Amino acid sequence: GRALLERLAERVRALALPDAGTMLELGSGSGDVLARLRSATRGAAVGLDLSAHAAEHAARRFPELTWVVANADRRLPVLDGSIDLVM
């Protein structure tokens, strides 16, 4: 668990996202992964999950990030070209 997450954070840092870059996690669940990866950058982060309960839980734990309830296999509620990294 933790070792894999640290390895992912290293990879995100290596991507050198723009300072204002935005990452999007599909199926963000509890928000732990997105919050950790966001700490490796200075950009914005959006978590998307089908479960309203999961998104509410993540929003309480990580209020500085954006949480969206949506079905990612239908359409993504983001503007074209607005996301730098999708996970």
Side-chain angles (χ1 to χ4, degrees):
R2 172 121 9 246
L4 177 60
L5 192 52
E6 290 306 316
R7 185 79 179 168
L8 283 171
E10 288 173 17
R11 298 293 301 197
V12 168
R13 275 191 295 276
L15 290 173
L17 295 175
D19 283 344
T22 300
M23 65 176 68
L24 170 67
E25 183 184 16
L26 306 178
S28 55
S30 66
D32 293 307
V33 172
L34 185 61
R36 174 61 189 101
L37 296 180
R38 167 54 185 81
S39 71
T41 70
R42 287 183 283 199
V46 179
L48 188 142
D49 202 284
L50 183 59
S51 167
H53 177 73
E56 289 171 6
H57 178 70
R60 281 193 298 275
R61 294 182 64 217
F62 307 105
E64 68 280 6
L65 305 180
T66 301
W67 304 99
V68 177
V69 177
N71 190 343
D73 71 348
R74 307 234 174 186
R75 80 183 248 306
L76 296 177
V78 297
L79 297 173
D80 289 347
S82 66
I83 303 296
D84 298 289
L85 174 65
V86 177
M87 302 171 287

